[in-house]
Amino acid sequence: MATYLITGIAGFIGSSIAKALEKQGHKLIGIDNLLTGNRTNLPSTCTFIHGDIADQSVYESLRGKKIDAILHLAAQSSGEISFEKPQYDVLTNTLGTLNLLNFAVEEGIGRFIYASTMSIYGDVDDKPIRENQAKNPKSYYGITKLAAEQYVRVFSDRLNTTSFRLFNVYGPGQNMANLKQGMVSIYLAYFMRNEPVIVKGFKERYRDLTYIDDVVDVWTASIDNPLTYGKTYNLATGKKTTVEALLNELKTAWGSPEYPIYFTEGTPGDQFGIYADITQLQNDLGWEPKVSLSEGIHHFVNWVKGEMHADM
Ligand SMILES: NC(=O)c1ccc[n+]([C@@H]2O[C@H](COP(=O)([O-])OP(=O)(O)OC[C@H]3O[C@@H](n4cnc5c(N)ncnc54)[C@H](O)[C@@H]3O)[C@@H](O)[C@H]2O)c1
């Protein structure tokens, strides 16, 4: 049994990973400032610290806790919001990561895993993107996440680090009230409210849509895997899905093939299209994504409908 510190533990991905580790019998300590996260997401047995990773004082209560690994997922996670509050992004995403890395070294915590993003690549050619390709982020979010990833890389001489560049993660547990982060959840939120879907940007755009359980599997399997130390991976499916194809999946799964959809102007910093080459991850972890898009959307829609019934 190990003790893990998870930042962003009240968020979508952090809470999903935390619950999987809790099931395996590990001890969890979580930090979250509840910016977009929710207390209801917290695993029942975790020690929760309501605090900000950019604030040095948050680390004092964690000294001497004998933490085995840090799983760092706290971030201002929306590209769109990064244009509204660019300074906050630097503070949370970049300075927060640097603080956490320093804390890890000071406390002798040997293992550090970071949630990076496909947003660091910017606009790319229409072919699977490899980890070593040029990074030209288009959003302030992408810049601050890339800067943080570079800090993680530099600290890899003192810590066993791994960075996972996540590509559009979706699934149960996503914050359905947040209309500024998460392509699938944003569209699905309109169905939930029985309003026409407003799509910001072209239907020809494309993404690599990754189901939450696949992400959880990779994170939990890599914690103790030395092959992943000092490395940076794309974490995705390797498949390209257009916005149009995604909307068709959602309409079918919702049971409304004629559901109304309107297209408006895109958001600042939005990448036109991107999908991943996942060979490195497949080779090191012997991993394959298990959940197809139609299966994943089906699970997500069922979860959303269940939540709607629970609220009635
Ligand atoms: N969801 C995706 O598709 C996706 C894609 C690429 C990368 N990521 C990265 O994965 C991580 C988790 O994303 P998510 O989808 O779960 O988003 P999320 O917004 O649900 O989770 C982020 C969590 O961090 C918390 N947080 C924000 N600032 C904080 C701070 N200064 N101190 C403490 N807690 C803070 C939020 O309250 C929230 O609970 C983020 O680092 C994000 O950048 C997500």
Side-chain angles (χ1 to χ4, degrees):
M1 195 176 83
T3 301
Y4 299 125
L5 172 63
I6 303 181
T7 71
I9 194 167
F12 167 45
I13 306 173
S15 65
S16 306
I17 294 171
K19 283 172 190 161
L21 292 171
E22 181 184 49
K23 262 195 204 141
Q24 292 175 6
H26 300 294
K27 210 173 138 190
L28 305 175
I29 305 173
I31 306 180
D32 204 297
N33 68 354
L34 303 178
L35 175 74
T36 48
N38 200 312
R39 270 179 199 277
T40 54
N41 288 337
L42 294 173
S44 50
T45 62
C46 83
T47 303
F48 180 59
I49 297 166
H50 182 189
D52 194 312
I53 53 162
D55 174 5
Q56 289 286 1
S57 66
V58 86
Y59 299 99
E60 290 319 310
S61 63
L62 290 169
R63 303 227 177 254
K65 294 277 186 213
K66 297 200 172 17
I67 293 162
D68 296 291
I70 297 179
L71 280 55
H72 175 32
L73 295 111
Q76 188 300 100
S77 54
S78 156
E80 198 176 337
I81 290 176
S82 74
F83 285 94
E84 296 164 13
K85 295 182 183 166
Q87 289 87 353
Y88 182 76
D89 250 53
V90 181
L91 200 67
T92 284
N93 297 358
T94 310
L95 181 63
T97 301
L98 176 59
N99 286 349
L100 201 58
L101 287 161
N102 278 325
F103 168 74
V105 171
E106 285 159 18
E107 289 294 301
I109 302 167
R111 184 77 174 115
F112 192 101
I113 308 183
Y114 169 62
S116 186
T117 168
M118 56 119 188
S119 301
I120 66 163
Y121 291 114
D123 280 334
V124 294
D125 292 339
D126 184 2
K127 54 185 183 202
I129 184 110
R130 300 187 62 155
E131 285 88 350
N132 60 4
Q133 273 172 248
K135 283 102 199 148
N136 295 302
K138 288 180 80 181
S139 65
Y140 296 148
Y141 166 71
I143 296 171
T144 59
K145 293 291 288 186
L146 177 57
E149 191 193 288
Q150 297 287 19
Y151 278 107
V152 173
R153 184 182 56 77
V154 169
F155 271 76
S156 66
D157 60 355
R158 283 153 282 171
L159 303 168
N160 293 322
T161 63
T162 305
S163 291
F164 290 114
R165 294 181 186 148
L166 309 177
F167 282 60
N168 283 82
V169 187
Y170 71 96
Q174 223 162 345
N175 182 343
M176 302 306 292
N178 183 351
L179 291 186
K180 292 192 173 175
Q181 196 253 336
M183 181 182 269
V184 184
S185 58
I186 291 173
Y187 299 161
L188 202 46
Y190 286 107
F191 286 83
M192 245 179 119
R193 297 197 315 250
N194 203 19
E195 290 171 11
V197 179
I198 310 291
V199 176
K200 296 178 185 169
F202 299 111
K203 65 178 188 306
E204 293 81 10
R205 290 175 302 133
Y206 53 89
R207 292 289 184 272
D208 195 328
L209 303 169
T210 316
Y211 191 66
I212 182 66
D213 290 5
D214 281 326
V215 172
V216 169
D217 284 351
V218 168
W219 275 69
T220 52
S222 68
I223 297 176
D224 292 325
N225 186 340
L227 278 178
T228 66
Y229 294 176
K231 303 235 184 94
T232 299
Y233 298 95
N234 289 334
L235 203 183
T237 66
K239 294 202 171 65
K240 168 180 169 179
T241 302
T242 61
V243 166
E244 185 174 29
L246 166 62
L247 290 165
N248 287 339
E249 286 288 354
L250 287 169
K251 287 193 281 189
T252 306
W254 198 260
S256 302
E258 303 304 323
Y259 202 87
I261 300 196
Y262 297 106
F263 292 86
T264 63
E265 211 180 313
T267 52
D270 194 31
Q271 289 153 281
F272 185 80
I274 187 162
Y275 63 113
D277 180 316
I278 56 170
T279 316
Q280 235 200 114
L281 195 58
Q282 288 168 315
N283 288 347
D284 281 4
L285 280 188
W287 172 81
E288 290 297 332
K290 291 187 192 64
V291 184
S292 70
L293 182 67
S294 49
E295 251 180 299
I297 294 293
H298 183 76
H299 293 321
F300 195 11
V301 164
N302 280 348
W303 176 78
V304 163
K305 288 191 171 178
E307 293 289 295
M308 286 167 68
H309 280 296
D311 283 349
M312 278 156 78

